[in-house]
Amino acid sequence: MANSLLFIPDISGFTEFIQTTEVEHSQHVIAELLEVLIQSNTEDLQLAEVEGDALFFYKEGEVPSQERLLAQIESMFIAFYSHLKLLKENRICPCNACATAPNLQLKIIAHCGELQFIEVQGNRKPFGKQVIEAHRMLKNSVDSDNYVLISKSLASEIGLPIYYYSKLFKFREGIDIYDSKELTYIYAIIDSELLQLKPFRSIEKVVLPNPPNLTYSKNIALSAEKLYEYISNFKYRHLWVNGVDKFEYNENEINREGTEHICVIKEKHLDFTTVIKEVKKGELIYGEFTKSPPIVDTYYQFYTITPLSKEQSNLKIETYWFVTSPIKKFIIFLIAKRKINKTIIDTMENIAKLTSIT
């Protein structure tokens, strides 16, 4: 039988990250990163298993060339660190999970050998000695949490020298003992500063030329962090927004600057984008922007949260709209402003009632 490739990207720092941060957001961060790694699969690798913080890939009966394997490894590191930079630059959430996500790192284990397979509930999965060896090499003596490790057998298969040297990869030899058997490998610590990261749309803070058209403020018996979560997490939106049939959004993504969601009202789709603006130190800000309502050209709504004590905050809702048409201005003055004001008051009252579900 021809040799097969075994390939395991593993997120370093996962256990501590999950245990010391907000559970829901940390799960979303890891899910996003795993999805990014899967999408960066350039070698048509088969995904055998999602193993918590790791992905177990294989390529049956084929081992990519040295050039292709190193390119696949580099592609995954680029995808991983590009997404971490996106999480950092466009973050709006103050929670510990979102704040510390950029500290996560990546290690990749690559091995080869003859594979056997077993079938579990209709799924064909790699099985046997080589699979065990690949997973054991995750526990090694490499003094880093950000590296690629290639087994000696795989390096020999693709003709990769022990001390291969390039701008990104500087390999050296290592050896560990597993079950009284020595496993030799080569490894390279990856400097993320050398990666050509993918560009992404960095969102600037909104600067508005005029004061808000409407402002409403109220003290809420919730901590600033909890109140911010209720407002910025779309899964709670139905609890405090009236008149919306449903909210459409990516349930596996943390809300950040540039995130889009849709409000469906009587079969009409209103598109919103998450934005923020400058606030005083210690305050939290969440905002949304839309061009969907036909009565306005652009519409912004901001929620500014000021901590008052451990379990109480002040919430200020500010609404801005911009209109050029004289007819639209007249309609807003005559009808719409009153409706918008009532909506804001109802929203604030609904948010105040959220204390009953904590």
Side-chain angles (χ1 to χ4, degrees), residues 255-299:
N255 193 357
R256 50 182 169 262
E257 286 188 84
T259 293
E260 297 177 350
H261 75 278
I262 297 171
C263 292
V264 182
I265 304 173
K266 295 179 181 177
E267 298 185 354
K268 291 182 180 178
H269 288 62
L270 304 180
D271 303 317
F272 289 85
T273 301
T274 298
V275 294
I276 61 172
K277 66 184 180 76
E278 201 68 54
V279 290
K280 296 175 184 176
K281 187 176 180 180
E283 293 180 334
L284 301 177
I285 181 78
Y286 175 75
E288 295 177 350
F289 155 79
T290 184
K291 291 184 177 181
S292 294
I295 196 64
V296 297
D297 299 329
T298 54
Y299 183 92

Side-chain angles (χ1 to χ4, degrees), residues 215-221 227 304-306 308 312-317 344-353:
T215 302
Y216 194 73
S217 179
K218 186 178 180 70
N219 290 349
I220 308 289
L227 180 55
T304 303
I305 301 169
T306 305
L308 299 177
Q312 191 169 51
S313 311
N314 177 265
L315 174 61
K316 179 172 66 177
I317 301 178
I344 294 174
I345 293 172
D346 290 345
T347 295
M348 187 70 85
E349 294 305 315
N350 290 340
I351 290 173
K353 292 174 185 174

Side-chain angles (χ1 to χ4, degrees), residues 39 56 67 71 82 101 109 118 148 169 188 193 212 252 282 290 301 334:
Q39 291 171 358
F56 175 29
E67 293 76 18
S82 295
I109 306 298
I118 59 171
V148 55
F169 301 106
E193 297 294 322
N252 295 317
T290 184
Q301 191 148 292
L334 202 64

